[in-house]
Amino acid sequence: YLSGLTESNSDSFYLPKEVLDSEEFEQALNVYMSEDRKVMTLDVIFKANPYSNEAIDQVAEVEAAVERATKNTKLENATLAIGGMTSVNADLRTVSGDDYSRTVVLMLVGISIILVFLFRSIIMPIYIIGSLILTYFTSMGINEVIFVNILGYTGISWAVPFFGFVILVALGVDYSIFLMDRF
């Protein structure tokens, strides 16, 4: 093995020819490769919970590691696909983050315009929108303190800020309209 390793020009990984020709190695290839040997599967198991923010953050690291490993090889232009629940959650978090900013702006502008016409004032809508924003950030802060700082969870899910904003603003503006209408 050592003499074969020294004679090989490989700077990354060496397998003796006897191993490559063995029946046991062929069985291992059948598990992780397609019959035509053009598609390969690589299983990565994280130490962290696959639904945690820590695992979701590692998806990009895995993708970068595969790209680094295939650079300047025959696989450099190969198509890379990452699957699994952690990858799905990473993709959802990315899409949600992009949609979050757009949703916040559209909701606040739309609700502000409606409130200006409803109350025939500019000051009251500013107070209502300000109170809704304050309520949102307060609820997210309390959520972070309780679940992350006190209970020790890894963090809140990507969906909580997005859907929390939509629900808090939708319900909050209704109650604010009722309250201001009576006032």
Side-chain angles (χ1 to χ4, degrees):
Y1 175 82
L2 292 177
S3 63
L5 179 63
T6 24
E7 291 173 7
S8 77
N9 293 330
S10 174
D11 60 351
S12 59
F13 195 76
Y14 168 73
L15 283 176
K17 180 133 178 69
E18 301 83 39
V19 172
L20 293 172
D21 295 336
S22 71
E23 191 174 309
E24 291 88 11
F25 189 73
E26 185 72 26
Q27 290 174 349
L29 287 178
N30 290 337
V31 172
Y32 293 103
M33 296 185 80
S34 65
E35 287 183 30
D36 63 357
R37 302 294 191 238
K38 293 188 179 203
V39 177
M40 182 185 87
T41 301
L42 180 66
D43 295 331
V44 177
I45 301 172
F46 297 119
K47 285 184 180 180
N49 179 346
Y51 297 97
S52 70
N53 288 330
E54 179 185 353
I56 291 171
D57 292 337
Q58 290 177 335
V59 170
E61 294 174 24
V62 169
E63 188 173 5
V66 171
E67 287 179 12
R68 280 192 313 271
T70 58
K71 189 174 183 180
N72 298 326
T73 68
K74 291 179 183 179
L75 299 173
E76 185 172 24
N77 295 321
T79 302
L80 169 67
I82 296 180
M85 202 63 229
T86 306
S87 174
V88 169
N89 284 335
D91 292 341
L92 284 172
R93 183 173 71 176
T94 302
V95 170
S96 172
D98 295 342
D99 289 346
Y100 176 74
S101 301
R102 190 175 322 117
T103 302
V104 167
V105 170
L106 291 175
M107 282 183 70
L108 292 179
V109 168
I111 290 171
S112 296
I113 292 170
I114 292 169
L115 290 176
V116 166
F117 286 116
L118 182 68
F119 292 120
R120 295 181 195 103
S121 168
I122 296 206
I123 294 174
M124 290 309 290
I126 290 173
Y127 283 131
I128 291 173
I129 296 296
S131 71
L132 293 174
I133 292 171
L134 180 66
T135 301
Y136 171 73
F137 282 113
T138 302
S139 65
M140 289 296 109
I142 291 172
N143 187 6
E144 184 83 12
V145 167
I146 291 173
F147 290 102
V148 176
N149 298 343
I150 295 174
L151 298 177
Y153 290 108
T154 57
I156 58 176
S157 169
W158 60 268
V160 173
F162 181 81
F163 292 112
F165 180 82
V166 171
I167 290 170
L168 282 172
V169 170
L171 291 175
V173 79
D174 288 345
Y175 287 113
S176 297
I177 289 171
F178 292 144
L179 181 67
M180 290 299 130
D181 191 42
R182 297 194 107 220
F183 181 69

